[in-house]
C-alpha cells in the first residue's frame, strides 16, 4: 500500500516537473461552484493577486495553450461558445470571442457578425488586424461556414462553404 501511494506522489511530481505549465495554470486560475448553475472564476497574476473575478451560469473550462496562455471557454450548448484568453506572463485578458475558428500564439481567427473572416492579435486588435471578405454560406452560426483552418509557414489555409448551395471552397491566403 505504501509503495502504491509513493508511486502516485512520484507521478504527480513528475507531471508538475515535466509539465510546468500545468502548475502555472493551477496557480493562475480558481473556479468554484457557488450554487446550482452558478460558478465563480478568479484569475491571478504571478504575484498571486486577483486581477479578474466574474460569475458565470456555466462552469468555465480551461486549457493551457503554450507556456503562459490560458484559454477559457464558456459553453452555450452544442458547439456554441464564448472563448477568451489570459496571458499569465503579461497579465492580459482578451475580449471574449464567439466561436473562434482558430487560435495560434496570440493571434485569433474568427467570423464576425458581418460574416467577415478576421485574423488579429487577440489582445490588441489595432496591433495586427486583417479582414477577409468571402461569399460564406449563410449558416445558423456564422463561424460554421469555415469548417477547417490552419496556419503553416505564414499561410492561412481555409476550407469553407460558399454561397447558397454550400459549395466547398479551399483557399490559401498569405499572411
Amino acid at each position: 500500500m505504501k509503495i502504491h501511494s509513493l508511486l502516485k506522489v512520484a507521478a504527480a511530481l513528475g507531471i508538475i516537473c515535466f509539465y510546468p505549465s500545468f502548475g502555472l495554470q493551477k496557480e493562475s486560475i480558481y473556479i468554484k461552484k457557488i450554487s446550482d448553475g452558478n460558478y465563480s472564476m478568479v484569475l491571478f497574476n504571478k504575484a498571486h493577486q486577483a486581477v479578474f473575478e466574474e460569475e458565470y451560469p456555466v462552469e468555465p473550462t480551461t486549457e493551457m495553450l503554450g507556456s503562459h496562455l490560458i484559454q477559457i471557454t464558456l459553453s452555450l450548448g452544442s458547439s456554441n461558445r464564448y472563448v477568451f484568453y489570459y496571458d499569465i506572463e503579461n497579465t492580459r485578458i482578451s475580449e471574449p470571442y464567439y466561436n473562434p475558428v482558430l487560435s495560434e500564439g496570440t493571434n485569433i481567427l474568427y467570423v464576425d457578425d458581418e460574416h467577415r473572416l478576421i485574423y488579429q492579435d487577440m489582445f490588441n486588435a489595432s496591433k495586427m488586424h486583417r479582414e477577409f471578405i468571402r461569399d460564406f454560406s449563410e449558416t445558423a452560426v456564422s463561424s460554421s461556414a469555415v469548417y477547417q483552418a490552419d496556419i503553416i509557414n505564414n499561410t492561412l489555409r481555409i476550407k469553407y462553404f460558399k454561397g447558397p448551395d454550400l459549395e466547398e471552397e479551399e483557399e490559401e491566403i498569405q499572411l
Side-chain angles (χ1 to χ4, degrees), residues 9-78:
V9 170
L13 286 174
I15 288 171
I16 291 170
C17 292
F18 290 109
Y19 298 99
S21 61
F22 174 78
L24 190 58
Q25 179 181 353
K26 294 297 181 190
E27 294 173 5
S28 302
I29 190 165
Y30 176 72
I31 299 171
K32 176 184 176 183
K33 184 175 184 176
I34 298 171
S35 62
D36 284 342
N38 209 5
Y39 296 84
S40 172
M41 182 181 72
V42 182
L43 299 177
F44 299 95
N45 63 15
K46 292 188 290 187
H48 205 67
Q49 298 168 321
V51 294
F52 177 88
E53 186 170 356
E54 190 69 49
E55 289 185 17
Y56 299 101
V58 296
E59 182 175 10
T61 58
T62 62
E63 180 180 349
M64 199 72 193
L65 305 177
S67 63
H68 67 276
L69 189 65
I70 299 176
Q71 175 181 288
I72 301 154
T73 303
L74 301 165
S75 175
L76 303 175
S78 182

Side-chain angles (χ1 to χ4, degrees), residues 129-148:
H129 183 94
R130 301 265 320 263
E131 294 181 10
F132 308 102
I133 299 172
R134 302 294 185 269
D135 183 21
F136 294 124
S137 296
E138 291 289 327
T139 55
V141 177
S142 298
S143 61
S144 298
V146 180
Y147 62 89
Q148 186 176 350

Side-chain angles (χ1 to χ4, degrees), residues 87-137:
D87 177 351
I88 300 165
E89 187 68 28
N90 300 298
T91 317
R92 299 183 298 174
I93 302 168
S94 77
E95 294 296 318
Y97 295 95
Y98 181 63
N99 293 326
V101 176
L102 174 73
S103 65
E104 185 233 11
T106 59
N107 297 325
I108 192 156
L109 182 72
Y110 65 98
V111 178
D112 71 2
D113 293 336
E114 297 173 23
H115 302 287
R116 296 175 297 185
L117 188 64
I118 308 292
Y119 181 69
Q120 70 180 41
D121 182 286
M122 64 181 58
F123 296 102
N124 184 352
S126 64
K127 182 177 177 183
M128 193 276 301
H129 183 94
R130 301 265 320 263
E131 294 181 10
F132 308 102
I133 299 172
R134 302 294 185 269
D135 183 21
F136 294 124
S137 296

